[in-house]
Amino acid sequence: MALQEKLDKFKKQQEKCQTTLSSIAASKAAASQKSASHGSANGKNAPHPVKFSNDTERLQHINSIRKAPVGAQMKRVIDLLLETRQALTPEQINQACYVDIKANKDVFENLRKNPKVNYDGQRFSYKSKYGLKDKTELLQLIRKYPEGLAVIDLKDAYPTVMEDLQALKGAGQIWLLSNFDSQEDIAYPNDPKLHIKVDDDLKQLFRSIELPRDMIDIEKDLQKNGMKPATNTAKRRSAAQIQGISSKPKPKKKKSEINKRTKLTNAHLPELFQNLNNS
């Protein structure tokens, strides 16, 4: 009986504690809601944590560009003009690549005098060697240079010039050949007037003509037909005789063969004498 009374008493205490805790939680929630509504009524929001500037890296980058050598700053501007192909004011250039032309007189003057830059008094723009706009103008220019036009001088004419060169080559309108000295490509016009069809009979007749075996006779035939030979074999041969150089190649010496009369000093290596002649 005493145990049952203690259990009942413990249960009542638990219920009382639960009620107290619920009351405390309710009062805190009401206080928080009242504070929030009071702040909204006064037009005030909760304070945000203070954030420092996150622009430091960009400012350091701009500073390093403006302290760079004049040549490095000019390259940034010329690359910008080449890429955009637009006429830009100094303010637009400064905004795009952080080079302050107005504040740096050396950069300004060198850009104004640069052969790759055009300055009209207000704006800077890129100036290529040949002012071309499209494939049609490109083909017209190449046809004006039958001796060939260096591709390196055409690369910056307009953005798609290299693709147009390949297209003209594929269409058979130009030739792209490499220079043996500089290893650079040269563009040659392929004149459509030169596309002549030759009959097979004429080709066979041309190939059946026998030329003289002696180069002197070939040179004489060229002179008879009013052409100047590129070589002078008679002069070259006489000069060789004066210097004691024979124009005829010397006969090769016959390689001596080993026979039984030859004194053998490497008799301990019999495999060397497998082809010994019986003479």
Side-chain angles (χ1 to χ4, degrees):
M1 189 65 180
L3 180 60
Q4 186 64 36
E5 290 177 357
K6 289 181 179 180
L7 288 173
D8 294 338
K9 188 176 181 180
F10 178 74
K11 287 181 180 180
K12 290 180 180 180
Q13 288 177 351
Q14 290 291 329
E15 292 175 358
K16 186 177 180 180
C17 289
Q18 187 66 33
T19 303
T20 302
L21 291 173
S22 299
S23 178
I24 293 172
S27 62
K28 284 185 177 181
S32 176
Q33 186 177 3
K34 183 178 180 181
S35 176
S37 61
H38 180 70
S40 299
N42 293 335
K44 296 180 180 179
N45 296 324
H48 296 285
V50 178
K51 291 184 178 180
F52 293 97
S53 174
N54 56 359
D55 210 24
T56 304
E57 292 184 2
R58 188 180 71 88
L59 294 175
Q60 289 177 346
H61 177 61
I62 294 174
N63 188 49
S64 65
I65 291 174
R66 292 177 179 173
K67 287 186 177 181
V70 173
Q73 296 189 53
M74 288 178 58
K75 185 179 184 304
R76 288 183 64 87
V77 176
I78 294 174
D79 288 346
L80 173 67
L81 298 176
L82 174 62
E83 182 180 357
T84 60
R85 301 290 177 139
Q86 295 179 359
L88 304 176
T89 63
E91 292 79 12
Q92 291 172 326
I93 293 173
N94 186 13
Q95 186 177 3
C97 66
Y98 307 124
V99 176
D100 193 353
I101 299 177
K102 283 188 172 181
N104 195 324
K105 293 183 179 180
D106 291 336
V107 176
F108 180 88
E109 289 298 325
N110 281 278
L111 279 174
R112 189 174 62 84
K113 298 175 183 178
N114 193 284
K116 289 291 184 182
V117 177
N118 180 49
Y119 180 61
D120 62 1
Q122 294 182 345
R123 292 176 174 83
F124 292 89
S125 59
Y126 188 81
K127 181 170 65 175
S128 58
K129 185 172 182 177
Y130 299 103
L132 306 175
K133 296 179 181 179
D134 52 30
K135 185 166 60 175
T136 302
E137 293 185 359
L138 175 63
L139 180 59
Q140 291 174 353
L141 176 68
I142 295 175
R143 284 177 174 171
K144 293 179 181 178
Y145 291 85
E147 71 279 6
L149 193 61
V151 173
I152 193 172
D153 293 333
L154 298 170
K155 283 185 175 180
D156 59 351
Y158 57 91
T160 60
V161 65
M162 297 306 294
E163 290 84 350
D164 288 346
L165 280 172
Q166 293 299 327
L168 291 173
K169 177 185 176 183
Q173 294 178 298
I174 66 169
W175 299 97
L176 288 180
L177 305 176
S178 295
N179 187 308
F180 289 104
D181 298 328
S182 61
Q183 298 299 320
E184 294 178 355
D185 287 340
I186 307 295
Y188 295 92
N190 189 7
D191 192 345
K193 297 177 182 178
L194 300 179
H195 296 172
I196 301 173
K197 185 178 180 180
V198 180
D199 295 336
D200 293 336
D201 295 340
L202 186 58
K203 292 180 183 178
Q204 187 64 29
L205 179 62
F206 175 81
R207 292 167 184 166
S208 64
I209 297 175
E210 293 186 5
L211 296 176
R213 295 186 178 183
D214 196 331
M215 194 64 188
I216 293 179
D217 296 333
I218 296 177
E219 293 170 356
K220 288 180 179 179
D221 289 344
L222 290 173
Q223 291 174 350
K224 287 179 182 178
N225 289 277
M227 291 180 282
K228 184 179 180 181
T231 58
N232 192 335
T233 305
K235 183 178 179 181
R236 179 173 56 82
R237 287 179 182 177
S238 66
Q241 289 177 357
I242 292 173
Q243 297 174 4
I245 303 174
S246 177
S247 59
K248 296 182 179 180
K250 295 181 179 180
K252 295 182 180 179
K253 289 184 178 181
K254 187 177 180 181
K255 188 177 180 181
S256 59
E257 296 179 349
I258 299 174
N259 52 43
K260 285 186 176 181
R261 297 173 186 174
T262 305
K263 186 178 179 180
L264 303 180
T265 58
N266 293 324
H268 61 289
L269 298 173
E271 62 272 10
L272 295 178
F273 313 109
Q274 291 179 357
N275 297 325
L276 183 65
N277 293 331
N278 295 325
S279 57

